[in-house]
Amino acid sequence: MEEEDFKRQGKELFEETMEMKRNGWVWKENNYAELIQDVMDPHFGILHCKYHVVYHPSFQVPSLFFNIYDENNQLLKLEQVINFCKENNILISKDQELNTFTFITQGEHPVLQTIYYYVHTCETKSFMNDFGIVKNYIYTWLSFIGKSVKLYTPIIHQYL
């Protein structure tokens, strides 16, 4: 995916689609999308989650960066994030499951230059190829990959 396609599709999805706006998504001036939401977790209580969809220039695909904070506004440790997400492993092919232990890590946010957790982008192109031609690459990708970190996208019929 070219960066210009990411910007165009991102703006269309997050700024012009009512379902995403109602969900709380905001398209930022720096060409990334942000969602801030509170999630009730049986093990951790109320968690404050901040999700960002950004363009990854090295892999040329969208990338999901996120941080999760507890009720005291303390960033969860990697082990806690994995426990929060672990029941949401997703099947990327008949033989391969994306496991939270192997695909979530911390690194520098490409826009904000601060440390965030993120979902590895290494396999994005290969599993997205299985979908063939899609109406909005970012929507299809986010609908699939977001589930792994308890981020659910609304059904938007124009992109199905």
Side-chain angles (χ1 to χ4, degrees):
M1 168 177 243
E2 297 296 322
E3 188 170 8
E4 288 307 311
D5 292 330
F6 173 82
K7 290 175 184 177
R8 182 182 47 74
Q9 287 186 26
K11 190 170 186 169
E12 174 188 304
L13 177 63
F14 298 111
E15 199 171 77
E16 299 172 13
T17 307
M18 287 308 290
E19 293 89 345
M20 295 303 269
K21 286 169 74 171
R22 264 190 244 123
N23 243 24
W25 283 100
V26 176
W27 183 250
K28 297 292 197 170
E29 200 174 287
N30 300 28
N31 293 311
Y32 71 94
E34 178 178 75
L35 173 66
I36 298 172
Q37 68 180 9
D38 289 333
V39 175
M40 182 61 185
D41 182 83
H43 306 289
F44 296 103
I46 297 173
L47 296 174
H48 183 69
C49 304
K50 188 182 286 190
Y51 298 102
H52 291 165
V53 174
V54 302
Y55 183 74
H56 196 293
S58 299
F59 290 98
Q60 297 181 320
V61 293
S63 188
L64 182 59
F65 282 77
F66 63 97
N67 273 336
I68 303 173
Y69 303 88
D70 66 17
E71 293 177 88
N72 298 316
N73 210 27
Q74 296 297 309
L75 183 65
L76 295 188
K77 295 180 175 130
L78 180 59
E79 183 179 301
Q80 293 171 305
V81 169
I82 289 170
N83 285 333
F84 172 71
C85 299
K86 73 179 175 186
E87 69 223 30
N88 293 326
N89 292 347
I90 48 181
L91 199 62
I92 59 172
S93 74
K94 284 187 242 177
D95 306 316
Q96 188 178 12
E97 182 179 48
L98 266 181
N99 185 311
T100 51
F101 291 100
T102 60
F103 83 108
I104 291 176
T105 192
Q106 278 185 308
E108 187 176 291
H109 190 292
V111 177
L112 303 178
Q113 272 78 54
T114 57
I115 300 299
Y116 269 71
Y117 293 106
Y118 67 95
V119 178
H120 284 280
T121 55
C122 303
E123 299 299 321
T124 300
K125 277 188 181 180
S126 63
F127 84 74
M128 284 300 291
N129 285 338
D130 292 342
F131 289 102
I133 297 171
V134 296
K135 294 180 181 178
N136 186 298
Y137 188 100
I138 298 170
Y139 176 76
T140 303
W141 164 82
L142 186 60
S143 298
F144 182 77
I145 208 73
K147 295 174 193 173
S148 63
V149 294
K150 294 191 178 182
L151 173 61
Y152 303 99
T153 48
I155 294 171
I156 303 175
H157 295 285
Q158 72 195 51
Y159 295 134
L160 298 178

